[in-house]
Amino acid sequence: MANEQVVKSVDILWDGLLNSLKTWQQFQTEVGEKTLQAFNYQKDLIESTVTTFNTIEEESKKASKEMQEKVQSSVKEVISNDQFEQFSKWITNVQEITDKSQELVSIPSRSILDIVVQTNNHLESTVKTALAEQQQQRLEVIGKIEELTEELKKTQKGLFAV
C-alpha cells in the first residue's frame, strides 16, 4: 500500500512537471500569435496611411486642375481669343510647375512609406520564420522530455518496487 502511494507520488511529480512545461510551451505559442497579430495591425495601419496619402495626392491634383479650368473659363469671358491663347499657355505652364512641385514634395514621403512597408514586410517574414523554427524546436524538446519522463517514472517505480 505504501509502495503504491510512492508510485502514485512519482507519477504525480513527473506529470506535474511535464504539464508545467507544456503550459509554458502553450504560453510561448500564444505570445508568437499575438506578435503576428501586432504585425497585421501594423500592416493595416501602414496600408491605411498609404491609401490616405494617395487620396490626398489625387485630391490635390484634382483641385489644382479644377482651379485651372475655372480660371481659364473666367478669363475667357473677359479677354480676346489671342490673349486667351497666351493666357492659356501661361496657365498650362503654371499647372505643369505646380504638378512637378507636388510630385517633388511627395517623393520623400512616398520613399519613407515604401521603406516602412518593406521593413515591416521583411521584419514580419523574419519573425514568422523564427516563430516557426521555435515552435518546431519546442515540439521536439517536449517530445524528448515526454520520453525522458516516462523513462524516469519507470526507473523510479523500479527502485521503489524493490
Side-chain angles (χ1 to χ4, degrees):
M1 179 86 167
N3 213 7
E4 187 178 310
Q5 197 72 5
V6 169
V7 169
K8 285 183 181 181
S9 295
V10 168
D11 283 346
I12 289 172
L13 174 74
W14 287 112
D15 289 342
L17 179 63
L18 184 60
N19 287 335
S20 294
L21 289 172
K22 286 181 178 179
T23 300
W24 178 248
Q25 177 189 17
Q26 182 60 36
F27 173 74
Q28 288 176 320
T29 300
E30 289 172 8
V31 167
E33 290 170 0
K34 296 292 183 190
T35 300
L36 294 178
Q37 274 182 346
F39 275 108
N40 286 333
Y41 295 143
Q42 189 170 334
K43 189 184 291 184
D44 290 345
L45 177 64
I46 291 169
E47 287 175 3
S48 174
T49 301
V50 169
T51 300
T52 301
F53 181 79
N54 289 338
T55 301
I56 290 170
E57 197 173 53
E58 288 172 19
E59 290 298 319
S60 176
K61 286 179 183 178
K62 183 179 170 184
S64 179
K65 186 73 172 169
E66 286 175 3
M67 188 175 77
Q68 176 190 3
E69 290 170 358
K70 286 180 182 177
V71 167
Q72 282 181 329
S73 175
S74 296
V75 170
K76 187 176 186 176
E77 294 174 5
V78 292
I79 63 174
S80 69
N81 281 343
D82 289 338
Q83 290 174 327
F84 178 73
E85 192 175 309
Q86 288 178 337
F87 178 78
S88 183
K89 285 180 185 178
W90 178 80
I91 234 11
T92 300
N93 288 337
V94 169
Q95 183 63 40
E96 288 173 3
I97 292 169
T98 302
D99 291 345
K100 193 65 170 170
S101 297
Q102 286 176 340
E103 185 179 324
L104 290 173
V105 167
S106 71
I107 286 173
S109 299
R110 187 164 299 286
S111 295
I112 290 170
L113 284 174
D114 288 345
I115 289 170
V116 168
V117 168
Q118 290 172 4
T119 302
N120 189 62
N121 288 342
H122 180 69
L123 186 58
E124 180 182 17
S125 174
T126 301
V127 168
K128 279 182 178 179
T129 300
L131 289 175
E133 288 173 5
Q134 287 176 352
Q135 180 66 17
Q136 182 61 35
Q137 290 172 354
R138 283 194 301 267
L139 290 174
E140 290 173 11
V141 167
I142 286 292
K144 296 292 182 187
I145 290 174
E146 285 174 337
E147 291 173 14
L148 179 63
T149 301
E150 287 304 313
E151 288 298 316
L152 288 170
K153 282 179 173 179
K154 286 179 188 175
T155 302
Q156 283 190 334
K157 287 177 185 177
L159 289 174
F160 291 119
V162 174

